[in-house]
Amino acid sequence: MHFTALLLPLLSLSTTTLVDAKPTHGKRSTHLSREFNPFRRAASPPPESPRAVKVRRAKNGKSVVKKKKKRGTCQAPVHANSTLSTSVAGSATSSFVAASSTSTSESSVYPSSIYPSASSASASASAPSPSSSSSSDWYLVETVQGSNFFDSWNFWSWDDPTHGTVDYVDAATAWNEGLVSINSAGNAIMKVDTTEQVSGGRKAVRIHANKVWTGGMVLMDAVHMPSGCGMWPAWWSNGPNWPNGGEIDILEGVNAFTENQVSLHTGDGCTMPNSMSGTQSGQLTTGSFDSYNCASYATSNQGCGVRAVGDETSYGSGFNSVGGGVYALKWDKTGITAWWFPRSSIPSDITADAPDPASWGTPMAHFPSDSCDPYKYFYDNFNIFTNTMCGDWAGADGVWNYAGYAGQSQSCAAITGYSRCSDYVLNQGSAFADAYWEVQYVKYFNSTTAV
């Protein structure tokens, strides 16, 4: 979710690398012990600070002061300042932390209460042994599902860090205006406001998980995801002090794409091997920088990405046409790996809460640990659902007016009749009836051996 205004490079495609249509989007001194349970919880944040924040936004050539929201960098900073508790062999310590209300160096930009914080630790629990009937080394830590789904998330109600034509709302507004709900199937719904004409930005929801984790596995089952021109939805994770704590974009794309892109963004030093053939079904994307270098600052925020070439069920309308499915992210000693399972192909071990990645076959994306230590360049991450519109990627002129990439055969300018993304979003609310998430669950797993 970190991009510059880089336009689509019109390069030729090869069988192993792709032109990156993404207009370009950590480091830790010591490793976390693999014996630690990586999951911690932050309590629900206190009410938002009523303090006004100065926003440097061009408005008739002057800066203005806007209450509550500020547009800043793309990062979602987390202030993790304590270590995990130790544990004995054969067990894992689960630390739960309360959101810090202490002011931080970034509090003038975003109130610290909105972020998961590692300021205190608490309860621990023994890790269950894998079932004797299962070959899985992974055990369930937490299920986020059903009527209590939104209890596990904090609502972001500040300006979009990726400069979208969006107005992210707080929890009360989201519930009162029907932008979030639990439907009759028990699934969580996150919508976009469909008022025909709006000004400034269209109301939508962005939520941050209050669980902080370093290593493990997370599964997300969605029946439906936002799609269509103007949209830039994503399910991703982010760490502290971006990009040093790492960012993992698990499910992401823009406009009428039907092929997912999985990306990493890190501090300096994380690279991928020159040959990734046979380790993943997706193909490495290329841009204006070294596509094997995941460091954000060295690549003008491009990072390294893998696109699900040819799998037009992996994102957007193609995803919705098959009833969605499950995305699985494994973060362990071997690296960071993502799988996609359409609804009709979800493995039985996932359904049984005994995931066995060794039996899943070739992943969509695999970023090996050979020259990118997954516990040095990624730590203290939390999951995020976003539903922005336009912005640095979907709204870039070279993307809005481009076709023939990631399953999109016609440009959004041609599809909508609008030359600019923002004009379309502000004036065609009825076009966003399909711009919603329907999520069955998010599940976290841990392993005493793999992690």
Side-chain angles (χ1 to χ4, degrees):
M1 296 298 292
H2 300 274
F3 306 91
T4 66
L6 185 67
L7 301 184
L8 285 168
L10 300 179
L11 305 177
S12 60
L13 302 182
S14 72
T15 58
T16 58
T17 59
L18 299 167
V19 179
D20 189 1
K22 193 174 188 177
T24 54
H25 257 344
K27 187 176 289 185
R28 196 172 209 181
S29 58
T30 57
H31 296 198
L32 295 174
S33 168
R34 311 300 193 263
E35 294 181 336
F36 299 160
N37 184 316
F39 300 99
R40 293 169 291 149
R41 175 177 299 283
S44 299
E48 296 167 3
S49 168
R51 177 171 51 84
V53 179
K54 177 172 282 189
V55 180
R56 290 188 176 181
R57 174 178 293 171
K59 189 173 184 180
N60 298 324
K62 298 180 180 180
S63 296
V64 297
V65 174
K66 183 179 180 182
K67 183 177 179 181
K68 185 177 72 171
K69 298 191 178 185
K70 184 180 193 308
R71 183 166 290 170
T73 62
C74 296
Q75 73 189 76
V78 183
H79 305 290
N81 50 24
S82 70
T83 58
L84 297 177
S85 303
T86 57
S87 65
V88 295
S91 68
T93 301
S94 180
S95 298
F96 297 86
V97 292
S100 171
S101 59
T102 306
S103 224
T104 71
S105 61
E106 289 159 322
S107 63
S108 61
V109 179
Y110 301 114
S112 59
S113 62
I114 198 170
Y115 303 108
S117 170
S119 58
S120 62
S122 62
S124 64
S126 296
S129 300
S131 169
S132 58
S133 61
S134 169
S135 60
S136 175
D137 291 328
W138 296 85
Y139 62 89
L140 183 65
V141 173
E142 181 177 357
T143 297
V144 180
Q145 185 177 26
S147 60
N148 297 321
F149 180 90
F150 289 104
D151 294 348
S152 297
W153 307 83
N154 299 319
F155 284 71
W156 169 280
S157 54
W158 278 257
D159 279 354
D160 179 19
T162 56
H163 313 108
T165 307
V166 65
D167 179 16
Y168 283 132
V169 301
D170 58 26
T173 303
W175 283 106
N176 290 338
E177 299 193 10
L179 299 184
V180 297
S181 61
I182 303 297
N183 67 12
S184 59
N187 299 335
I189 305 296
M190 292 170 272
K191 294 181 178 179
V192 166
D193 175 27
T194 56
T195 300
E196 193 66 7
Q197 292 185 322
V198 297
S199 61
R202 189 166 292 282
K203 291 180 182 178
V205 171
R206 167 173 170 155
I207 56 174
H208 294 192
N210 59 23
K211 180 179 288 296
V212 179
W213 60 302
T214 299
M217 185 190 299
V218 61
L219 307 183
M220 189 274 290
D221 185 322
V223 174
H224 189 280
M225 69 174 294
S227 65
C229 287
M231 296 308 304
W232 179 5
W235 178 57
W236 54 297
S237 74
N238 198 36
N241 307 314
W242 188 92
N244 293 321
E247 173 184 331
I248 309 169
D249 300 322
I250 310 164
L251 172 57
E252 184 178 24
V254 295
N255 296 327
F257 285 10
T258 55
E259 296 173 349
N260 182 45
Q261 182 164 313
V262 184
S263 302
L264 302 185
H265 304 272
T266 72
D268 291 340
C270 172
T271 61
M272 292 297 110
N274 289 333
S275 175
M276 299 173 71
S277 176
T279 65
Q280 57 190 17
S281 61
Q283 295 182 22
L284 193 68
T285 59
T286 65
S288 300
F289 297 89
D290 179 359
S291 57
Y292 299 96
N293 189 349
C294 302
S296 289
Y297 294 144
T299 60
S300 191
N301 293 341
Q302 175 181 290
C304 51
V306 171
R307 183 159 64 85
V309 178
D311 187 350
E312 296 193 358
T313 68
S314 61
Y315 179 86
S317 61
F319 178 100
N320 299 333
S321 70
V322 297
V326 171
Y327 266 93
L329 181 80
K330 179 171 69 76
W331 169 5
D332 65 6
K333 299 171 188 175
T334 67
I336 292 174
T337 310
W339 286 265
W340 154 239
F341 302 107
R343 180 69 52 200
S344 62
S345 304
I346 299 172
S348 59
D349 54 88
I350 287 180
T351 305
D353 286 339
D356 182 18
S359 69
W360 291 348
T362 304
M364 173 183 291
H366 175 59
F367 302 96
S369 60
D370 302 37
S371 53
C372 184
D373 186 326
Y375 297 100
K376 177 180 180 181
Y377 296 101
F378 300 88
Y379 55 90
D380 292 345
N381 271 223
F382 56 96
N383 283 144
I384 303 172
F385 280 99
T386 51
N387 206 5
T388 193
M389 287 154 276
C390 299
D392 297 336
W393 190 4
D397 287 343
V399 177
W400 185 254
N401 293 285
Y402 189 80
Y405 185 88
Q408 181 171 332
S409 59
Q410 190 177 14
S411 75
C412 279
I415 292 171
T416 66
Y418 282 79
S419 61
R420 296 201 320 162
C421 180
S422 58
D423 290 338
Y424 174 66
V425 167
L426 294 174
N427 291 285
Q428 296 293 326
S430 57
F432 295 93
D434 207 40
Y436 67 91
W437 289 98
E438 181 177 353
V439 179
Q440 288 202 4
Y441 65 73
V442 174
K443 294 183 179 181
Y444 297 90
F445 293 81
N446 195 18
S447 169
T448 58
T449 58
V451 176

